[in-house]
Amino acid sequence: MNYKRFITAASASRKTSPIRVLTEILSRAPKSVISLAAGSPNPNTFPFKTAVITVENGKTIQFDEETMKRALQYSQTAGIPELLSWLKQLQVKLHNPPTLHYPPSQGQMDICVTTGSQDGLCKVFEMLINPGDNILLNEPVYSGTLEALHPLGCNMINVSSDEYGMIPDALKEILSRWKPEDSRDPEKNTPKFLYTVPNGNNPAGTSLTSDRKKEIYELARKYDFLIIEDDPYYFLQFNKPWAPTFLSMDTDGRVIRVDSFSKVLSSGLRIGFVTGPKPLIERVVLHTQVSTLHPSTFTQLMVSQLLHQWGEEGFLAHVERVIDYYRKQKDALLAAADKWLRGLAEWHAPTAGMFVWIKIKGISDVKQLIEEKAIKKEILMVPGNAFYIDSSAPSPYFRASFSLASPEQMDIAFQRLAQLIKESI
């Protein structure tokens, strides 16, 4: 893989921060080293001294005074070592990336912790996108992704999708505008990457099948583009077995995978992680060196202690409990939709995630209904136009989340919505 051709001039010009390098050296240095180098504040001056955090099984995570000093101090840019090693083992267990033992320059699997997966995604986008670059995705798309992409000035090419995600034949048709060898000619502006949320796509709730992933990966090889596998709902899949990931089939080192703990551990702790070829992960880390410096040491230590306490099996057992909760919530929302919206709207049962994507029949644009009339009836949902490249275009869809409301509240909400639809048709 020629990674240089994907990287923007801004990303390529990033150099290692000497002070950040010193932080790495100091973290590994013996206690006998006398450091007059670091600009680290003295932790004895910090007001926080100890902490005890109780987790769901009644066990505790304890920060004694020494641990607290470390938790409140600067740390390594890519993530604290014990969390990175745990996450690497998890990725090997779940995905067994073919690139694990490749030479570093040829796409060896690397990993870094980010301040939530959105932080990692934004840095990946800024590493890859020049104004005018072509990128591939499938609408509807998470609005946060669209808002990250729009200012970068890329051409977003929509690939048609259905209830099983992106359609490979539609992707083939778009790619037929180019010849495979055009990727070697910058003037041809072949697509730089394909962006996908393969499980429980937000907002549509669709998941790519294993066969479709294989077809898409082969097209990526043929036309030499990267795949950004944004998978925040990987740990919220309702059906077993879980489909193989793009990372698990990445023999070339062309997949950048973005994971999140937000849905299963905490959204407020802001812990995500990016896995991909070392030459690209290094660029993300260089960006972090001059932006946030590093993810929060405190939250990393907290998560790391929990994961080491649980072990992989304990973590996955927790994931199963979370899935069971969301499965019941999903069933409750679908039951309410079936009870009140049958004949007025249509939808598919989501395969992962926390959303149902609903199309209202007989109304070409539901924006006013959802944003004005529904709010007056004290029900909140997101109108579908927020999830399209052109957000001004009319959309008959809206997104309903089943994460927080009780089954009784879902029932009342859809009863009220049904009444509004009948009044509006």
Side-chain angles (χ1 to χ4, degrees), residues 15 34 47 79 87 98 100 114 120 147 177 185 195 200 205 211 288 378 402-403:
K15 291 188 168 51
I34 300 169
L87 293 175
L100 184 62
T114 54
E147 297 314 319
R177 300 176 200 172
D185 182 357
Y195 169 84
D211 287 344
T288 301
E378 297 187 317
F402 49 81
S403 62

Side-chain angles (χ1 to χ4, degrees), residues 39-40 77-78 111 185 191 195 221 230 235 254 376 390:
S40 303
T77 300
I111 191 166
D185 182 357
Y195 169 84
R221 299 189 78 186
D230 180 13
F235 296 117
R254 65 175 67 251
K376 286 177 184 172
D390 178 8

